[in-house]
Amino acid sequence: EVQLLESGGGLVQPGGSLRLSCAASGFTFSSYAMSWVRQAPGKGLEWVSAISGSGGSTYYADSVKGRFTISRDNSKNTLYLQMNSLRAEDTAVYYCAKPHCTNGVCYAGVFDYWGQGTLVTVSS
Amino acid sequence: EIVLTQSPGTLSLSPGERATLSCRASQSVSSSYLAWYQQKPGQAPRLLIYGASSRATGIPDRFSGSGSGTDFTLTISRLEPEDFAVYYCQQYGSSPLGFGQGTRLEIK
């Protein structure tokens, strides 16, 4: 059974840093690109960042580029999001998400497994 | 960047009725790379439809997707009580990935 378990959220002051983790199980983690998607309280979904299965390629939304860094440790089946220079508008539940694959084809931008999310609150 | 606009913002219907949700893109979505998700309060989104019209694993056949180019539709043929939720469309044909603002489907 595929499981994604995020951790590392919490309250941080503006300008501070936080590192989120997502522990994956139930699938061959290194074979899949992974993404982070966030949702501000009462708002819609926003894609944040993605990383290839090897970790060699990374992608970011303009809103976080230069402040957030996505990475992964395939030996630990864990995805990370290092968040620096945090702003109030980064306050959100952060989900890690696995792409949907069917009949041997994976759609990197479609997500069929999500974690439960971890709340990041940026406030003084 | 492709902007997705969903309508209506809120849809009030009764169980047993048919629901039609719209998603309009600011530019053509390549290869119909359009997905739909359902989200209930306190839960992560659930994938319903990908490729504009393909149902994800385990999704009941009362959910169907259609459309191409810039206009897409999610139809729920006969609403069940558990279908009342927020629905998001998402394009994955071009970077950055983008979601619509959501349609809230509420019980009338």
Side-chain angles (χ1 to χ4, degrees):
Chain A
E1 179 192 3
V2 172
Q3 289 194 334
L4 299 170
L5 184 63
E6 301 95 339
S7 61
L11 175 63
V12 61
Q13 292 187 338
S17 298
L18 214 52
R19 188 175 86 153
L20 306 183
S21 300
C22 171
S25 61
F27 64 103
T28 306
F29 182 68
S30 60
S31 296
Y32 296 89
M34 295 291 292
S35 283
W36 288 97
V37 177
R38 69 184 180 184
Q39 186 169 36
K43 302 297 184 183
L45 301 165
E46 180 188 15
W47 172 79
V48 173
S49 182
I51 186 168
S52 62
S54 67
S57 297
T58 57
Y59 311 88
Y60 299 94
D62 285 346
S63 58
V64 306
K65 200 172 295 181
R67 301 186 299 122
F68 290 11
T69 302
I70 191 171
S71 62
R72 63 192 299 160
D73 185 337
N74 286 341
S75 69
K76 295 182 178 179
N77 289 348
T78 302
L79 175 72
Y80 302 102
L81 186 67
Q82 177 67 43
M83 304 185 296
N84 298 332
S85 302
L86 283 161
R87 306 166 180 167
E89 54 264 36
D90 296 318
T91 294
V93 172
Y94 285 73
Y95 296 100
C96 64
K98 174 191 169 292
H100 172 61
C101 300
T102 184
N103 297 326
V105 178
C106 287
Y107 302 89
V110 183
F111 310 115
D112 61 356
Y113 286 96
W114 300 63
Q116 86 290 349
T118 187
L119 176 62
V120 172
T121 303
V122 184
S123 175
S124 55
Chain B
E1 176 178 345
I2 295 178
V3 176
L4 300 177
T5 302
Q6 293 186 239
S7 61
T10 302
L11 185 58
S12 300
L13 293 170
S14 301
E17 291 192 293
R18 179 185 187 91
T20 303
L21 287 67
S22 175
C23 177
R24 178 162 290 178
S26 60
Q27 307 168 42
S28 182
V29 177
S30 62
S31 304
S32 294
Y33 284 162
L34 194 286
W36 290 93
Y37 298 84
Q38 176 193 69
Q39 188 178 34
K40 296 180 180 180
Q43 296 184 14
R46 174 194 183 195
L47 177 65
L48 300 174
I49 300 287
Y50 65 97
S53 60
S54 298
R55 270 187 303 275
T57 305
I59 301 304
D61 60 8
R62 65 180 181 273
F63 291 91
S64 63
S66 62
S68 63
T70 60
D71 289 297
F72 299 87
T73 300
L74 174 70
T75 301
I76 310 172
S77 59
R78 266 190 358 269
L79 286 166
E80 298 287 342
E82 61 268 26
D83 298 337
F84 292 91
V86 179
Y87 291 83
Y88 295 96
C89 60
Q90 179 221 348
Q91 71 82 20
Y92 54 101
S94 64
S95 182
L97 305 181
F99 293 87
Q101 83 281 13
T103 289
R104 180 179 304 277
L105 179 56
E106 64 177 26
I107 299 177
K108 188 174 182 180

